[in-house]
Amino acid sequence: MGSAQPVRSIKRGLEPVLQNVRLLVKPISLGILGREGEQDEPTTPQHERSVARLAPFFARKLGPLDLYVIEAPAGALESTQASLLATGDYEYVTRDEFVLPVALSAQSFGDPLTSQEWHLAKIQADQAWGTTTGNRSIIVAALDTGVDLTHPELIGNLVSGYNAVQHIAQSAGGQVNDIHGHGTTTAGVIAAAGNNGIGVAGVCWQVPFMPIRVSDSPGGGAFMSDIIDGGIWAIQHGAKVLYAPYAGVQLPGAQTLGIWAKFNNALLVWSADNTGLVYSQFDWPDVLVVSGTDSADHLASFSSYGLAIDLAAPAKDIYTTTRGGTYAVVSGNSYASPMVAGVIALAWGLDPGLPAWRMQQVLLAACDPLGDSNRFGAGRLNAARAVRATCRADFNGDGTVDFFDADDFTRAFEVGHISADFDRDGAVDFFDREAFMIEFLR
């Protein structure tokens, strides 16, 4: 894979060039570890040899993943990489790239209105809200620069997070305040409070929002190893959906994290970058890669595209929250991934028992087709269709929860039809009627 391309960061310009002496190393292994690493480690001689070879490099293992960060000797990064790959014992050995947020610009303003959030109408979020505004059991984690912990639009949805650079939980003193500003802008897209008479509304405005700070740099840049470490911690602490609004999705570590997320019944969403690259060399099955669109459903001029794209979402002129309790209109693919994460949270909250692979299928099938799959994947995000697909109280599937659904369920229940097995325990009984009524009256 090619190295991540630097992109312009919100308000800050480019990061200074860092002398990177770190590598991400993935040995060839037999399997994958669970949420707490409770499964047995692969113990083949090849695997034992590959791990032992890393010991002189001060290797650090990333949680339960069979993935290691090593420090190469000064001036020997490329030779170390080549020598490890030459053994044939490693799935990949890549630079621990320092990647940037994929935001382009921000323009502050004083009195934003939800009616100006064109993207909400475009993805039919308002229609989805007629059914749900979120389920408090579906936690979304932001792998970003932190968040404004006192912003009135966000404070009510925050749950305890983690600083992946310090490797310290927020509850133990880890800093998750927004070091750059980027994290607060992406947070508003998904988690800004709705129906509160001020500011803007997020796509899933009752979402438990977990800030995972992956950067301690004023410019917002992050090492891939810290993004991966943050994702591991988030899943281990209950996150069902993760989004990464950073460059670097082409690096194999993104897929490694995506595999582990799906194994633990979670989904990883990652923004395509803003460099207009053509992604032709990879297509991760376990990472939802999102391109950016404008209000006319055209590919945003800055958006990368290609084989890797799974779906598209609005990314230009997005009204959202900023540090200091304020608001701005922003652009960049950074805003596409939290939008997708928000719709997943809305839809999954209606049927939390869905496995992650099925939730991914539902999301993609619900998109509005826009033609070129290399630019838009399955199409542009549609919240209303995704919610309808997971709303089990819409028993007759007509897109509306009403008397006819209750009537159709009752008919199926009275004859013991399998479709009335609402709690999915293999029997049609009183508990199914109770489960249906809970959903119907929600």
Side-chain angles (χ1 to χ4, degrees):
M1 302 298 168
S3 62
Q5 299 295 311
V7 293
R8 188 159 296 277
S9 164
I10 184 170
K11 298 184 181 179
R12 294 281 184 177
L14 296 178
E15 288 277 358
V17 176
L18 299 183
Q19 185 175 2
N20 186 355
V21 296
R22 302 195 323 197
L23 292 169
L24 273 175
V25 184
K26 180 75 168 68
I28 294 173
S29 56
L30 295 178
I32 189 165
L33 302 179
R35 183 183 297 267
E36 301 297 339
E38 70 277 4
Q39 295 186 358
D40 291 337
E41 293 272 5
T43 56
T44 64
Q46 181 191 35
H47 185 269
E48 291 177 353
R49 182 175 65 243
S50 66
V51 173
R53 192 180 292 115
L54 303 178
F57 300 106
F58 307 102
R60 176 172 65 89
K61 188 178 179 183
L62 292 179
L65 297 188
D66 192 27
L67 184 63
Y68 299 82
V69 185
I70 69 170
E71 295 185 14
L77 185 71
E78 292 182 359
S79 61
T80 301
Q81 181 180 22
S83 65
L84 290 173
L85 286 171
T87 67
D89 289 342
Y90 301 96
E91 184 177 326
Y92 60 80
V93 181
T94 66
R95 292 173 181 263
D96 184 12
E97 295 287 0
F98 191 74
V99 296
L100 299 182
V102 283
L104 288 170
S105 60
Q107 176 184 347
S108 297
F109 58 96
D111 186 26
L113 300 171
T114 301
S115 62
Q116 295 174 285
E117 293 181 274
W118 67 267
H119 61 280
L120 296 178
K122 178 64 72 173
I123 68 170
Q124 298 183 8
D126 52 342
Q127 294 182 37
W129 294 342
T131 301
T132 180
T133 56
N135 180 332
R136 300 299 293 182
S137 72
I138 306 295
I139 298 173
V140 174
L143 308 177
D144 211 331
T145 64
V147 70
D148 181 345
L149 297 170
T150 62
H151 199 296
E153 295 270 35
L154 302 173
I155 191 170
N157 284 330
L158 297 178
V159 298
S160 190
Y162 176 69
N163 187 303
V165 183
Q166 302 170 346
H167 312 298
I168 302 174
Q170 181 183 358
S171 60
Q175 298 297 307
V176 299
N177 57 298
D178 195 345
I179 195 171
H180 171 266
H182 183 265
T184 302
T185 61
T186 68
V189 172
I190 177 174
N195 200 30
N196 63 348
I198 62 170
V200 295
V203 172
C204 185
W205 41 270
Q206 288 191 332
V207 65
F209 185 81
M210 178 185 286
I212 306 294
R213 196 167 106 181
V214 300
S215 173
D216 273 355
S217 167
F223 285 102
M224 281 292 291
S225 58
D226 291 330
I227 294 174
I228 294 168
D229 181 71
I232 292 168
W233 189 94
I235 293 168
Q236 290 177 326
H237 290 81
K240 294 279 285 183
V241 189
L242 297 80
Y243 71 86
Y246 273 84
V249 69
Q250 71 270 34
L251 299 169
Q255 169 65 359
T256 299
L257 178 59
I259 291 171
W260 194 76
K262 196 173 286 183
F263 182 83
N264 284 289
N265 206 35
L267 287 173
L268 172 63
V269 186
W270 206 301
S271 296
D273 66 27
N274 295 330
T275 59
L277 290 176
V278 179
Y279 293 148
S280 60
Q281 302 299 315
F282 71 100
D283 184 15
W284 307 134
D286 300 300
V287 183
L288 285 160
V289 184
V290 190
S291 63
T293 55
D294 62 19
S295 59
D297 273 340
H298 297 146
L299 186 74
S301 60
F302 46 78
S303 182
S304 292
Y305 60 95
L307 177 68
I309 299 302
D310 294 296
L311 74 164
K316 192 172 188 298
D317 298 332
I318 306 298
Y319 283 64
T320 187
T321 51
T322 52
R323 286 187 299 183
T326 56
Y327 305 86
V329 58
V330 296
S331 292
N333 280 349
S334 285
Y335 308 104
S337 59
M339 209 172 299
V340 170
V343 170
I344 293 172
L346 283 174
W348 214 345
L350 291 172
D351 193 359
L354 273 184
W357 65 266
R358 178 59 182 148
M359 185 62 248
Q360 179 171 318
Q361 287 182 338
V362 167
L363 175 77
L364 297 179
C367 288
D368 289 327
L370 296 181
D372 188 347
S373 62
N374 279 326
R375 284 174 163 75
F376 309 110
R380 193 248 307 118
L381 183 69
N382 186 306
R385 291 179 63 184
V387 163
R388 283 198 296 270
T390 55
C391 179
R392 300 180 64 218
D394 180 15
F395 193 76
N396 59 18
D398 67 354
T400 304
V401 177
D402 55 22
F403 165 80
F404 297 105
D405 296 297
D407 187 55
D408 287 346
F409 172 80
T410 299
R411 292 174 187 273
F413 179 81
E414 287 176 346
V415 298
H417 193 272
I418 190 62
S419 63
D421 181 16
F422 208 76
D423 61 8
R424 297 171 175 164
D425 66 352
V428 176
D429 53 26
F430 165 80
F431 298 104
D432 297 299
R433 174 174 284 181
E434 184 179 46
F436 173 80
M437 290 308 299
I438 290 171
E439 286 295 315
F440 183 79
L441 297 172
R442 186 193 295 266

